[in-house]
Amino acid sequence: MNTQLADDKAGLRRRLLAARRAMGPAELAAAGRSIRDAVLELPETQMAGTVAAYWSIGGEPDTHGLLFGLWKRGSYVLLPVLLPDGDLDWASYEGPESLRPGARGLLEPTEPSRGVAAVCSADLVLVPALAVDHAGLRLGRGGGSYDRALARVGAQVPTVALVYDAELVPAVPAGPHDQRVRMVARPSAGVTRLPLPA
């Protein structure tokens, strides 16, 4: 990655993370509930037998209720396990008690690993993002883990980034390895399909 692109991404990450830290607990909780409801109502979610998702941490839009809702309705839910090289392995979510502390402050499933290609079996993929632009390019935390995972997902599989309202932006700095998402879910607007018309 060139230096200018890395600097542009780092600066945007700092601003977005500061805005998330400024949000209060009630606002965060309400946003998580709204995103949960929007994703659960999505036709692609209702038809999905297998959903690849993630356990939110810190100021990320809360996914805990969403994961529980998917699991209780009978979806097979896969959660990531961060590998030493930064890639993502996957294992099944069997309820909130089936998680253990993992790398970088993450919680990961205790079930047997299914391999990095397990994400290919998902009918719907939910991904974290700090921002998504109108073309569907996402800004993550900078490790490239989800870009690797998304590169394995078939072109017809819905991929949804979960963000706050102000995090759908006109453009994010992106390089050749950055992967696009096909939808974004936000608290006030629900699910928006991407890319948006120019």
Side-chain angles (χ1 to χ4, degrees), residues 136-150:
L137 288 163
R138 60 178 284 281
L139 180 72
R141 297 280 182 152
S145 301
Y146 272 92
D147 288 317
R148 287 195 236 178
L150 288 170

Side-chain angles (χ1 to χ4, degrees), residues 118-129:
V119 71
C120 301
S121 69
D123 304 304
L124 175 73
V125 181
L126 305 177
V127 299

Side-chain angles (χ1 to χ4, degrees), residues 6 16 23-24 40 72 74 97 110 144 152-153 178 183 191:
L16 293 163
M23 297 173 73
L40 289 175
K72 289 301 279 184
E97 284 75 48
T110 56
R152 298 183 179 107
V153 174
D178 292 315
M183 295 180 237
V191 175

